[in-house]
Amino acid sequence: MTAQEVRLCSLLLKEHFGEVVEKVGVHLLRSGTLNLRALAHETMTSLDLVKKCLCVLVQHGMSKFGPGRRGPTGPVEYQIICERILYMLRYPRYIYTAKSLYGDTGELVIEEILQRGQMTMSSVVRTVADRLTQNMEDGQSMDYSEVINAFSRLVETHFLQRCPPVDSLEETSSSGTSDAPASKTPQSAQPESNPDCYKLPQIHLSDTEANDKRAKRAKLESTEVCDDEGIYWQVNFERFHLHFKHQAIIAAVASKLDQTSSEIVRTMLRMSEVTTPATAAYTQAVSANEIFRALPTSYNIARPILDQYLTLLVDDPMEFVGKAGDSGGGMFVVSILNKYFNLHRALANLARATLESVVQERFGSRSARIFRLLLRKKHLEQKQVEDFAMIPAKEAKDMLYTLLSENLVQLQEIPKTPDHAPSRTFYLYTVNQLPTARLLLQNCYKTVSNLIERRLFETKENKRLLEKSQRIEAILASLQASGAENTQLAEVEDMITAPERQQLEALRHHINKY
Amino acid sequence: MSGRGRGRSLFTFNVDSLGFGRGDALPSSAQAPSPLYPPMQFRPVPLQTGEEVDYMLALKQELRASSKNLPFHIQPRALKKDVARYSDKYQTGENKHREWTPDWSRLPKELCIKDQKLRKTKTKPVVKNKMKSAAPKELLQKLENLEKKEEENQSEEEEGDEEKKKKSGEEEEPDDAEEYDEEEFEEETDYISSYFDNGEGFGGDSDDNIDEATY
């Protein structure tokens, strides 16, 4: 992981879990794998606090543990998962997606699980139902069954999954034998490998109980033991990312071709949503017939038109849709036309488009022209760049060097003679898409870190002002509740002076952007 | 190669190809780091707006605020305050969500030692109390028996008896505590307190060596 990632992780951990967790987490990030004692010693933190921190990190799936290098009898060693911490940045997006797909209930389910890392189904259902009931008018309450319904739909579409079972470490260590290496990392086991990954447990939460008085329920909850004890659920981030990728592809098709073709692509993606693994390069092949049948009738796309669209999609240079083959003979040649998606190529094309637009926005359209030229022609000499881009030589050089110094363009030397003499060497400019994309990602991480730091700074600078405004708001609220007169309210409001108010507004304007 | 004094020949290649004309001066090499906030050539793209973005922004702020109240937000050990302030009372956040017991079966055993320790210290006083409460009963019985015997012998001095009761009860308690302390001590240190090595054993060895040397 890079310095930028560590910095961002540290800020995120601090923001969500406090300073102690940040300290422990960053130390783990820097040193890779450590055992408990070493961690406590090196961070100069008390053992109990370190334990608590590790509990928090493991609970949220941000840390994994396993028997260390000294085998199953050695001390347990801990690792931290950098990507998982960075996912915290996307929490609102996950929640919003759940809301748009499954409504408020789905939103709350995802929100609760994200905030607590892992939960049992019964506790999720109970908390969400309670929260929904609170927001409802008096006398109404949320049925458990409805929440269970939303939950099971999230599981069916793989947005939620069971936490992988933990092999009991104590067993392996007490047996002392050198087991298969597979059991050495009990936590890193892929959740997908568990056959029960998406199997719902039977839980019995009676609805009559939900309709009871709240106080009574609270009493019951403390003693109640549910059937799904020990079965924890977590958010399947891969599935969410797959969804985001699909949305990006659909949007790209819609802007490149038209709405109808994007609906066809959407249908194709939906058909293979659950069956395709998240990292697969292609969706499973589907025939034109199947697509036709799966298309919602509201689109009103006739069969011949669908065929035309599919041909169009296959021929499109963005290569979103590919042809797997036209097997079959005689009359059914067209009907068994298999379509499939080239996901990697589609995403790479999207990434390229993003790169191009970044260059365009930061360095102007003429630099973007040079950049696109290099992307298309792969390797070019300086003279060729000037000529092909049709930009005056001096300006072209200037732009090219700027891009080179920003590392968006790379320079490849090819000497004609072994002495690398510059006069006998080809200097070829090229764009390496993957490293350049990574560079931009790092830049983004840096930007986010800078933003967080800026917000913390601004908040610190204006702490007194913020506190004052909070206090006055509280006073106002209590006055309003007690039915005070308007003049009184205005008097309290005037306690914040005009310049202070301006300052507050400016602050909110700055802070609330992130 | 021939013109050593001319700037151009510093390079073994044609400087023209870099874009510098015949008469142009070469730029001086940069010796300071580039400025922290370089002037921007182009204005940045405006931020995304819209219902979706606003909602996600609000969600993010809400998550950030609520994460402070979850039990996962671990506070560093509270610093000793120099002065007890009146405002302290109002600044401590509500601690109602503080309690959180993870599922220990999903965590390495070593992480929950702390909890066991806590339980230990909690259970110990209970045991103590039980012993205490048990002891006086036996004591009372004993005393009653003694009383009867005494009554047989001497039917007087009832007041003195009562005093005895109190005294013996007081004596019992410290005894109890002492026993207990020893146990705890042994548990913690693993040393047998009765064993003491004053280090003289080494000296004996050396004596032996001397003896051996004389042989």
Side-chain angles (χ1 to χ4, degrees), chain A residues 91-103 159 240 243-244 247, chain B residues 56:
Chain A
Y91 278 7
R93 203 159 167 206
Y94 299 134
I95 297 172
Y96 187 77
T97 309
K99 184 190 173 78
S100 55
L101 291 177
Y102 300 103
F159 281 109
F240 270 104
H243 181 80
F244 295 158
Q247 292 313 107
Chain B
M56 283 201 272

Side-chain angles (χ1 to χ4, degrees), chain A residues 391-407:
Chain A
I391 296 171
K394 193 163 183 185
E395 289 173 46
K397 276 172 195 149
D398 188 26
M399 291 172 193
L400 200 53
Y401 296 163
T402 316
L403 289 178
L404 188 65
S405 67
E406 295 280 339
N407 259 330

Side-chain angles (χ1 to χ4, degrees), chain B residues 83-138:
Chain B
V83 188
R85 293 191 182 82
Y86 174 72
S87 60
D88 285 350
K89 193 157 50 164
Y90 301 101
Q91 275 174 2
T92 48
E94 69 274 48
N95 283 351
K96 53 184 174 182
H97 300 294
R98 282 275 160 237
E99 74 282 357
W100 162 59
T101 45
D103 188 348
W104 295 117
S105 67
R106 295 191 61 81
L107 290 166
K109 208 177 184 181
E110 59 178 7
L111 288 187
C112 68
I113 289 174
K114 170 203 69 185
D115 202 45
Q116 285 177 342
K117 249 189 194 168
L118 273 179
R119 234 177 275 148
K120 242 186 191 173
T121 48
K122 266 181 201 165
T123 46
K124 269 177 183 172
V126 176
V127 173
K128 235 178 180 176
N129 287 337
K130 268 183 192 168
M131 281 170 76
K132 262 190 214 166
S133 57
K137 273 182 192 170
E138 284 172 26

Side-chain angles (χ1 to χ4, degrees), chain A residues 80-349:
Chain A
I80 202 159
I81 309 161
C82 180
E83 295 83 50
R84 180 61 189 75
I85 300 175
L86 295 177
Y87 288 167
M88 281 202 276
L89 286 172
R90 301 199 188 127
Y91 278 7
R93 203 159 167 206
Y94 299 134
I95 297 172
Y96 187 77
T97 309
K99 184 190 173 78
S100 55
L101 291 177
Y102 300 103
D104 287 346
T105 323
E107 179 195 1
L108 284 183
V109 168
I110 294 290
E111 191 182 327
E112 280 299 320
I113 298 181
L114 279 179
Q115 281 196 325
R116 286 166 196 276
Q118 42 180 269
M119 285 173 95
T120 60
M121 183 173 169
S122 48
S123 58
V124 173
V125 169
R126 227 179 269 135
T127 330
V128 171
D130 281 357
R131 277 184 63 178
L132 284 170
T133 310
Q134 268 177 7
N135 290 339
M136 284 171 159
E137 287 157 32
D138 288 336
Q140 281 185 308
S141 70
M142 191 72 188
D143 274 359
Y144 280 159
S145 59
E146 210 165 309
V147 185
I148 291 176
N149 191 18
F151 190 96
S152 43
R153 279 201 294 162
L154 278 166
V155 173
E156 272 161 27
T157 43
H158 293 197
F159 281 109
L160 290 177
Q161 65 188 16
R162 280 192 197 196
C163 294
V166 180
D167 294 352
S168 53
L169 278 171
E170 284 67 44
E171 264 177 43
T172 49
S173 60
S174 61
S175 62
T177 52
S178 56
D179 288 334
S183 67
K184 280 200 170 178
T185 48
Q187 274 261 307
S188 65
Q190 284 297 310
E192 300 269 355
S193 61
N194 181 12
D196 287 344
C197 184
Y198 300 113
K199 201 171 143 200
L200 278 170
Q202 291 291 318
I203 62 166
H204 305 286
L205 294 166
S206 52
D207 276 328
T208 50
E209 187 194 320
N211 297 329
D212 277 354
K213 289 254 157 56
R214 287 190 53 81
K216 195 180 168 190
R217 175 136 42 101
K219 207 171 159 194
L220 276 170
E221 266 172 30
S222 55
T223 53
E224 194 175 20
V225 179
C226 279
D227 305 333
D228 63 341
E229 203 64 28
I231 303 176
Y232 288 89
W233 295 87
Q234 65 187 11
V235 172
N236 186 359
F237 294 103
E238 295 301 322
R239 180 68 184 81
F240 270 104
H241 296 161
L242 191 68
H243 181 80
F244 295 158
K245 285 179 199 165
H246 286 179
Q247 292 313 107
I249 291 173
I250 292 166
V253 172
S255 64
K256 186 91 198 294
L257 298 166
D258 67 345
Q259 202 59 39
T260 321
S261 51
S262 82
E263 294 303 339
I264 294 172
V265 171
R266 190 196 299 274
T267 314
M268 289 174 72
L269 285 171
R270 190 177 295 147
M271 284 164 72
S272 52
E273 221 166 28
V274 179
T275 48
T276 309
T279 49
Y282 305 104
T283 62
Q284 285 183 337
V286 286
S287 70
N289 258 345
E290 285 177 288
I291 298 172
F292 183 65
R293 257 180 278 132
L295 274 177
T297 47
S298 57
Y299 293 158
N300 268 333
I301 303 173
R303 185 58 208 270
I305 295 176
L306 172 69
D307 287 342
Q308 279 177 11
Y309 264 116
L310 286 175
T311 326
L312 202 65
L313 281 166
V314 172
D315 289 344
D316 188 77
M318 289 296 266
E319 297 173 272
F320 283 130
V321 179
K323 206 179 196 179
D326 31 19
S327 52
M331 293 168 63
F332 300 104
V333 178
V334 189
S335 63
I336 316 175
L337 228 179
N338 285 321
K339 306 282 164 190
Y340 68 105
F341 267 116
N342 193 334
L343 283 181
H344 277 189
R345 188 130 359 125
L347 290 173
N349 282 333

Side-chain angles (χ1 to χ4, degrees), chain B residues 148-175:
Chain B
K148 278 172 193 169
K149 277 180 189 170
E150 265 182 307
E151 266 175 32
E152 283 168 17
N153 295 338
Q154 306 161 343
S155 55
E156 304 143 27
E157 294 181 2
E158 276 180 18
E159 290 167 17
D161 218 349
E162 268 180 21
E163 269 181 26
K164 245 189 203 171
K165 227 193 257 174
K166 273 180 192 169
K167 260 189 191 171
S168 54
E170 277 165 14
E171 272 170 17
E172 195 72 20
E173 267 182 60
D175 266 354

